Amino acid sequence: MTLITNQNGDVLTVQTTYRSKPTLPGGAAHQDEKLADAATRELAEETGLRRRLAQILAVDQTPPNARTGATEGLNVVFDGGTLTPEEEAALSIPAKAHAEIEALVWVAPTDLDEKCDPYQARRIKHALAAREFDQALPALFRGELAA
């Protein structure tokens, strides 16, 4: 997952075809894929944005989901930075993502509780606080910077 903000401090989220509320852009890593590479790939696939993701803002443990068959896991939130006005104006859903992504949605931090699922709002707030207080961690792979 990747936290991206605009110049106003709004958070970029994606409205998927399979969730009722928007979420941070992201998805699962493929087998043998570094987490930073997975986050970079997912961000590009869902938003068209290409970013070097080297800083982790939050790690969120998730329980198993009997309904979907998903096992317990971790969601890692990378810092994708703040878009320039030009980057924001150029945002669009990539053609290959239209079956999965309905819209790119900017959410003000004050609206997170209303617009996002509670766990997602909490995750985003923690990531925003980590960024604000410069508490990001380097993304490592076998002790080396991953990105």
Side-chain angles (χ1 to χ4, degrees):
M1 308 196 103
T2 304
L3 178 75
I4 301 265
T5 53
N6 64 13
Q7 298 290 314
N8 297 326
D10 300 329
V11 176
L12 178 63
T13 64
V14 293
Q15 180 60 61
T16 65
T17 56
Y18 51 88
R19 288 197 173 111
S20 62
K21 294 188 176 188
T23 183
L24 289 175
H30 297 159
Q31 185 172 342
D32 297 324
E33 186 177 31
K34 295 176 188 174
L35 294 178
D37 292 344
T40 298
R41 175 183 51 75
E42 287 285 347
L43 181 66
E45 287 176 2
E46 294 182 358
T47 69
L49 289 170
R50 303 214 177 268
R51 299 295 234 218
R52 180 176 178 268
L53 302 175
Q55 297 290 311
I56 295 171
L57 296 172
V59 177
D60 190 4
Q61 184 175 358
T62 58
N65 184 331
R67 184 181 53 81
T68 65
T71 61
E72 178 180 38
L74 297 175
N75 278 277
V76 178
V77 180
F78 285 85
D79 188 355
T82 301
L83 297 185
T84 65
E86 295 79 22
E87 289 174 315
E88 184 178 355
L91 270 179
S92 65
I93 301 168
K96 290 182 179 179
H98 281 280
E100 178 184 0
I101 306 298
E102 291 179 351
L104 303 177
V105 181
W106 289 102
V107 179
T110 55
D111 295 337
L112 288 168
D113 290 326
E114 174 190 339
K115 306 256 178 172
C116 298
D117 284 325
Y119 76 92
Q120 190 70 216
R122 291 188 300 267
R123 182 183 291 160
I124 295 169
K125 288 177 187 179
H126 283 292
L128 286 168
R131 181 196 278 176
E132 179 182 353
F133 294 107
D134 199 23
Q135 294 178 335
L137 297 172
L140 303 176
F141 181 78
R142 296 182 54 93
E144 305 257 345
L145 287 176

